[in-house]
Amino acid sequence: MIKIVAVGKIKEKFSKAQIEEFEKRLRPFTRLEMIEVADEIAPQTNSDAQNEQVKEKEGERLLSKIKDNEYVILLDLWGEMISSEKFAEKLEKLQTYQSSNITFVIAGSLGPGKNIYQRANYRWKLSDLTFTHQMTRILVLEQIYRAFMILNHNPYHK
């Protein structure tokens, strides 16, 4: 099973439609669960200490949705960037040898708190570019779908 746990709600219809399309495409390969947790208000006038509190609170909400037996992949600006082929290999090895329950975590706009970093088994960087949280969810779903296509020798990847 693959689970995506993210801070904030998807509001835009076009983003929801893209997410639903990838959910549908993934059904033959895996069970998918999407969980959203509430975000904290974080004005730009917040101090560093206040921002850390926001990240920890959001982290607690995220952690409450993660079980002990899940392998956690944190989307992180300082994580490892890998190719789609390497990502597919990683998913296959994880599901075969480590855990059939893989959870992707997308933290809030301030990034992950220390509590999420401590729980993460792997930190994955999608790109050097910055994306909205809505776009990040779509990109993660697309890469998961692409990985299954690669593993099944499907021409989608070309």
Side-chain angles (χ1 to χ4, degrees), residues 10 12-20 134-135 138:
I10 298 288
E12 297 87 3
K13 287 181 183 178
F14 68 91
S15 295
K16 286 181 182 180
Q18 286 182 310
I19 288 168
E20 288 169 6
Q134 294 85 351
M135 186 61 70
I138 293 165

Side-chain angles (χ1 to χ4, degrees), residues 40-53:
E40 285 287 309
I41 296 171
Q44 291 197 348
T45 56
N46 268 4
S47 67
D48 289 345
Q50 288 171 315
N51 282 339
E52 286 304 314
Q53 288 176 339

Side-chain angles (χ1 to χ4, degrees), residues 71-74 80 82-99 102 104 121-124 147 150-151:
Y71 185 93
V72 175
I73 297 176
L74 173 63
E80 181 182 17
I82 57 176
S83 69
S84 294
E85 293 85 0
K86 291 286 184 199
F87 178 67
E89 284 177 29
K90 182 165 191 64
L91 275 185
E92 182 178 47
K93 285 178 184 173
L94 284 173
Q95 290 185 318
T96 303
Y97 301 111
Q98 282 192 277
S99 178
I102 301 169
F104 293 83
N121 299 101
Y122 179 72
R123 294 168 39 203
W124 180 32
I150 290 168
L151 295 172

Side-chain angles (χ1 to χ4, degrees), residues 5 55 62 72-82 87 103-133 136-137 139-140:
V5 184
K55 292 192 290 188
L62 292 165
V72 175
I73 297 176
L74 173 63
L75 277 288
D76 182 26
L77 294 173
W78 294 273
E80 181 182 17
M81 248 192 322
I82 57 176
F87 178 67
T103 298
F104 293 83
V105 174
I106 302 171
S109 61
L110 297 175
K114 291 176 187 163
N115 52 2
I116 294 296
Y117 276 116
Q118 289 170 349
R119 177 59 182 90
N121 299 101
Y122 179 72
R123 294 168 39 203
W124 180 32
K125 180 178 183 174
L126 283 177
S127 170
D128 283 331
L129 300 170
T130 303
F131 301 108
T132 64
H133 283 73
T136 300
R137 287 190 218 182
L139 290 170
V140 168

Side-chain angles (χ1 to χ4, degrees), residues 29 145-146 148-158:
F29 305 105
Y145 177 69
R146 182 176 296 274
F148 281 109
M149 293 294 98
I150 290 168
L151 295 172
N152 287 280
H153 310 287
N154 188 294
Y156 173 85
H157 178 59
K158 295 193 188 260

